[in-house]
Amino acid sequence: MLLNLHVLDLMEVSGSQMRAARSLSMHQTTVSRSYWELAEQFRLQPARGPRQVCRWGGSSSLRFLRLASRAHRLEDGRLRLGTDALHQSLLAGLPGVLQVPPCFHPAGDWATLVAQGVIDGALVSSLCHNQELASGELPHWPGVQVLPLGTLPLQLGGCCA
């Protein structure tokens, strides 16, 4: 079940089955089958209408499974961090950091992925915020702690729990 959850989480981050399959070195039909097994167990329905961050479906039990999976990763010394292609090299090769396909998302979408337990944290440039922040001001999202990193306008958003 955790493998199917991992596949679903990479679909959420990357936005498509094809990109998730590429990052997992799997065939797209394997990714699709994995998703549908999990969707059947949790009665997931892909989101319809306006673009949503978690578009492949969700439920409170799935969120709790993701949080349990996060706790398991952290206890094992592994961390799933996401970022865009411009900052991926900052995470590449770090011990204990799991590969997540680099994607461009607005900062609020990264925060939602963290809050939902899809990823454990995100390296986010201040350029991807949809609102301007005063110098030294950090963004705020429910369930996400934001930490400034270095002298560049980067922040790390992670789980507060």
Side-chain angles (χ1 to χ4, degrees), residues 113-155:
L113 291 168
V114 169
Q116 290 296 314
V118 174
I119 56 176
D120 305 322
L123 185 64
V124 177
S125 166
S126 62
L127 299 175
C128 67
H129 294 292
N130 61 355
Q131 61 185 5
E132 287 197 34
L133 299 170
S135 180
E137 183 182 4
L138 296 175
H140 300 278
W141 295 287
V144 175
Q145 182 179 4
V146 178
L147 303 170
L149 296 176
T151 57
L152 297 174
L154 298 173
Q155 296 97 36

Side-chain angles (χ1 to χ4, degrees), residues 3 7 16-17 21 25 35 47 53 55 64-65 75 77 95-96 127 137:
L3 175 61
V7 169
S16 78
Q17 290 183 7
S25 300
Y35 166 71
V53 180
R55 62 193 68 137
F64 287 125
L65 180 62
E75 286 173 355
L127 299 175
E137 183 182 4

Side-chain angles (χ1 to χ4, degrees), residues 40-160:
E40 185 178 316
Q41 282 183 310
F42 288 92
R43 296 179 185 90
L44 302 178
Q45 295 294 319
R48 307 243 186 265
R51 187 184 119 6
Q52 295 184 19
V53 180
C54 292
R55 62 193 68 137
W56 296 98
S59 67
S60 32
S61 57
L62 182 63
R63 183 170 183 279
F64 287 125
L65 180 62
R66 280 180 166 140
L67 295 176
S69 179
R70 172 187 282 166
H72 176 68
R73 278 192 307 275
L74 295 176
E75 286 173 355
D76 199 33
R78 295 175 294 130
L79 189 63
R80 189 186 294 168
L81 294 177
T83 192
D84 58 38
L86 297 174
H87 299 98
Q88 185 69 23
S89 63
L90 296 172
L91 301 178
L94 289 177
V97 175
L98 300 174
Q99 289 294 319
V100 174
C103 295
F104 289 99
H105 289 291
D109 288 3
W110 283 116
T112 299
L113 291 168
V114 169
Q116 290 296 314
V118 174
I119 56 176
D120 305 322
L123 185 64
V124 177
S125 166
S126 62
L127 299 175
C128 67
H129 294 292
N130 61 355
Q131 61 185 5
E132 287 197 34
L133 299 170
S135 180
E137 183 182 4
L138 296 175
H140 300 278
W141 295 287
V144 175
Q145 182 179 4
V146 178
L147 303 170
L149 296 176
T151 57
L152 297 174
L154 298 173
Q155 296 97 36
L156 175 66
C159 173
C160 317

